[in-house]
Amino acid sequence: MSRLDVTVRSEFVRSGEGKIRYRRVRAGGMEHYNVRVYVDGSDEELRRVEAVTYELHPSFRNPVHRQTNRASQFELTLWVWGMFDIEVEFELVDGGRARTRYYLRFSLPEDTGDNYVEVPVARQLEK
């Protein structure tokens, strides 16, 4: 395994007005939040990465996602209702590989009445 100086990070995906996006898959069901998982590092280190594969919790319909867009920091956007481990594998340009585990966690700010926006399920497409 190769040494790679990058960090996996996550953040909420926000609306154009800066509001946290959420949806309910079923009436009365859990709120799901739109989250972006990405790789943070120097340009030099990111240029060493060819692709990133994220392996999500097995409860996801499609738990394995391979990302190749370096310009987006190999981002993966998804809808989540809870926290879980993500297995991350980096495929390097030189043929090497590196692995890490990222614990997706988040802290929701208090609802002030204007900092969340509900997104209808019918208009959402899963990546």
Side-chain angles (χ1 to χ4, degrees), residues 110-125:
E110 182 178 341
D111 186 356
T112 61
D114 64 353
N115 57 339
Y116 289 85
V117 62
E118 187 168 5
V119 178
V121 174
R123 297 187 338 170
Q124 290 303 308
L125 299 175

Side-chain angles (χ1 to χ4, degrees), residues 8-114:
V8 179
R9 299 191 188 279
S10 60
E11 63 189 9
F12 290 112
V13 175
R14 295 180 181 264
S15 70
E17 297 81 34
K19 297 179 181 185
I20 294 173
R21 295 162 39 101
Y22 76 94
R23 70 180 186 184
R24 290 184 193 274
V25 177
R26 291 181 273 304
M30 299 281 294
E31 291 176 345
H32 288 66
Y33 299 93
N34 203 188
V35 174
R36 171 184 183 247
V37 179
Y38 63 99
V39 178
D40 191 24
S42 69
D43 288 343
E44 180 181 352
E45 286 296 293
L46 290 177
R47 280 193 296 273
R48 294 181 57 210
V49 179
E50 183 73 29
V52 176
T53 300
Y54 299 98
E55 186 176 338
L56 307 175
H57 189 274
S59 64
F60 279 80
R61 184 177 306 132
N62 299 307
V64 179
H65 296 267
R66 185 173 184 268
Q67 305 300 105
T68 58
N69 187 340
R70 187 177 294 115
S72 75
Q73 298 175 287
F74 304 98
E75 81 172 2
L76 173 66
T77 57
L78 60 154
W79 292 91
V80 300
W81 60 264
M83 298 173 244
F84 56 92
D85 284 324
I86 300 175
E87 297 293 330
V88 183
E89 182 176 55
F90 301 92
E91 298 171 38
L92 305 181
V93 172
D94 68 6
R97 293 186 180 274
R99 292 185 66 85
T100 191
R101 177 177 291 152
Y102 175 71
Y103 185 65
L104 175 68
R105 64 181 170 272
F106 52 88
S107 179
L108 294 167
E110 182 178 341
D111 186 356
T112 61
D114 64 353

